[in-house]
Amino acid sequence: MKILVIDDERAIRSILGEILTDEGYEVEAAEDGASGIKAALEGRFDVIFCDVKMPGMDGTEVLAKLRESGCESAVVMISGHADIETAVECIKNGAFDFISKPLELNRILITIKNATEKSNLVTKTHLLTKKAYGDRMIGESEQMKRIKEMVAKVAATPARVLVTGENGSGKELVARSIYEQSDRADRPYVEVNCAAIPSELIESELFGHEKGSFTSAVSRHKGKFEQADGGTLFLDEIGDMSLAAQAKVLRVLQENRFSRVGSDTEIKVDVRVIAATNKDLRGEIEQGRFREDLYHRISVIVINVPPLRERRSDIPLLVDYFVESICSGAAIPRKKFSPEAVRLLCDKPWKGNIRELRNVVERLLILGGDVITASDVNTLA
């Protein structure tokens, strides 16, 4: 567990750091609000202790900025000038707890324990919400039935899976379905888009880094493999990963251990890897752009997701699903699609696959009439 201490008093930072380190926690410290916010947003801390009275930006401002930024860490406010009004205001604004100085060890440890339990409950709630309301694999075509059957078989095993298919075909949904049906469904699911991360940063993103290991490494960073420990790591567009990063991923898959950038200390992990790509990896191997040994490690099971044009019978079901999910999520009045409009949608080439279809349905719902007609499709799709 990682804990951040934000306090302008060196003695408090030192004492809290020593106590919590002795208790087995990983502790970092910041001497003011600005550096504390930066560390909190980069370091993914489980609990943050923040002093209320600090020069410059005080603790209440730090709390407000953390909540505005979407930080979900449990924030515990500490103060030597405690009063009921301040404590109530902090709790109302999203603080997990409020502790008065002088700090007591038992009080601190109990607070951390309670914060951890709440964090675990929130995580489980998010998972249940995603299962109940999240995107699903929609379709009753023969291709989709085969994929669903394979997902059900594969999910119950620890086998690594490679999901292939064109952009927008639903590879991410297949990966998440495997995770949600596995025995790791109550543990982390971490996604990495390998194509969206610059090659010089991919190793830091995957394996983490130590403070000072490179110019912008202002604090220790936990990488995706470490975040996914005990759960599932989804490496999307793995075909875009650099050869150097591929070599390190191969080592992790072989040995289940790695080192952060700038560190020689090895970290052991238990991670199930699901990978996806829109590239022909065998062709990439021939061109020297992808490691053959890594390919064999990630492709124990290969699931190919067909493009939408090869399963047109699923389009009416997808349209109904998108109407329901878009209207529910955006408070848009529900509209019906005429049979002629649906037939026109079924005949389109859909080079962007399901992603393109969803965008078109949303556009038609926003700009079309009370009933979506063939004319609406011809004009707007």
Side-chain angles (χ1 to χ4, degrees):
M1 175 184 284
K2 290 184 66 175
I3 296 176
L4 174 65
V5 178
I6 307 173
D7 200 304
D8 63 311
E9 295 184 47
R10 183 191 297 270
I12 296 293
R13 297 197 304 272
S14 177
I15 292 169
L16 260 183
E18 290 176 7
I19 290 173
L20 296 176
T21 300
D22 289 343
E23 292 293 326
Y25 297 112
E26 184 180 328
V27 184
E28 292 186 24
E31 62 184 5
D32 57 48
S35 59
I37 290 172
K38 186 173 183 180
L41 298 182
E42 292 178 351
R44 302 177 185 273
F45 294 91
D46 300 285
V47 181
I48 299 173
F49 287 93
C50 182
D51 190 20
V52 173
K53 300 293 184 182
M54 292 187 293
M57 185 186 299
D58 68 19
T60 57
E61 293 177 88
V62 172
L63 174 64
K65 290 186 179 295
L66 289 177
R67 291 300 174 243
E68 287 171 7
S69 67
C71 175
E72 294 186 352
S73 304
V75 180
V76 179
M77 308 303 293
I78 54 179
S79 176
H81 312 279
D83 59 76
I84 297 297
E85 290 78 10
T86 303
V88 170
E89 191 65 25
C90 288
I91 299 299
K92 283 173 60 179
N93 290 335
F96 175 76
D97 204 349
F98 190 99
I99 300 178
S100 301
K101 296 179 182 178
L103 303 175
E104 299 178 4
L105 176 58
N106 286 340
R107 177 80 164 87
I108 291 170
L109 296 180
I110 289 172
T111 298
I112 293 173
K113 179 176 180 292
N114 291 338
T116 303
E117 290 175 352
K118 180 183 178 183
S119 177
N120 291 338
L121 181 61
V122 169
T123 299
K124 289 179 180 178
T125 302
H126 286 338
L127 288 172
L128 290 172
T129 301
K130 285 179 179 178
K131 287 181 181 180
Y133 303 107
D135 288 338
R136 308 189 313 274
M137 290 192 296
I138 303 297
E140 295 299 330
S141 62
E142 287 304 314
Q143 298 98 315
M144 286 306 297
K145 286 179 180 177
R146 285 197 295 270
I147 289 175
K148 290 176 182 179
E149 289 172 1
M150 187 174 291
V151 165
K153 291 178 180 178
V154 170
T157 76
R160 299 186 188 112
V161 182
L162 175 64
V163 187
T164 62
E166 295 181 3
N167 283 335
S169 59
K171 300 187 294 295
E172 302 90 342
L173 295 184
V174 173
R176 181 168 283 280
S177 293
I178 294 171
Y179 159 72
E180 291 181 347
Q181 296 178 49
S182 74
D183 59 2
R184 296 175 181 246
D186 61 344
R187 282 168 274 176
Y189 179 77
V190 179
E191 302 179 49
V192 183
N193 186 337
C194 301
I197 304 171
S199 58
E200 63 271 16
L201 296 179
I202 187 69
E203 290 184 37
S204 170
E205 189 69 17
L206 291 175
F207 310 111
H209 61 252
E210 294 293 335
K211 182 178 180 180
S213 56
F214 50 88
T215 304
S216 59
V218 295
S219 63
R220 175 184 286 172
H221 170 66
K222 186 186 291 187
K224 301 298 186 184
F225 269 96
E226 200 170 348
Q227 293 171 34
D229 189 23
T232 302
L233 179 64
F234 176 47
L235 297 176
D236 195 13
E237 302 305 347
I238 194 171
D240 292 278
M241 185 182 290
S242 69
L243 287 170
Q246 289 176 36
K248 288 200 171 185
V249 169
L250 177 64
R251 179 172 179 261
V252 179
L253 298 184
Q254 290 172 332
E255 303 177 8
N256 294 320
R257 62 181 72 241
F258 65 92
S259 299
R260 294 188 184 123
V261 176
S263 172
D264 294 326
T265 303
E266 290 196 326
I267 300 170
K268 188 172 178 59
V269 290
D270 170 24
V271 175
R272 181 184 191 173
V273 170
I274 301 174
T277 183
N278 64 352
K279 293 186 175 181
D280 173 13
L281 290 189
R282 291 192 178 278
E284 294 294 297
I285 291 169
E286 292 176 2
Q287 296 295 321
R289 292 192 290 262
F290 200 84
R291 295 181 63 110
E292 185 171 10
D293 45 5
L294 176 59
Y295 174 79
H296 291 304
R297 285 280 177 178
I298 63 175
S299 62
V300 176
I301 303 292
V302 178
I303 299 177
N304 181 61
V305 184
L308 191 54
R309 61 185 174 275
E310 293 181 9
R311 55 183 186 102
R312 295 182 184 276
S313 61
D314 290 333
I315 290 177
L317 293 174
L318 286 164
V319 170
D320 288 343
Y321 175 72
F322 289 143
V323 168
E324 181 66 27
S325 61
I326 292 169
C327 292
S328 298
I332 298 173
R334 283 172 173 74
K335 298 179 180 181
K336 290 186 177 180
F337 281 64
S338 71
E340 294 79 11
V342 174
R343 277 197 291 272
L344 279 178
L345 291 175
C346 289
D347 290 339
K348 287 188 169 294
W350 300 117
K351 294 181 180 179
N353 292 295
I354 296 174
R355 194 174 296 148
E356 182 186 2
L357 174 61
R358 188 193 188 284
N359 290 343
V360 167
V361 171
E362 185 171 12
R363 187 185 311 136
L364 288 166
L365 289 171
I366 294 171
L367 300 178
D370 293 337
V371 175
I372 307 301
T373 64
S375 176
D376 290 323
V377 173
N378 285 327
T379 304
L380 300 171

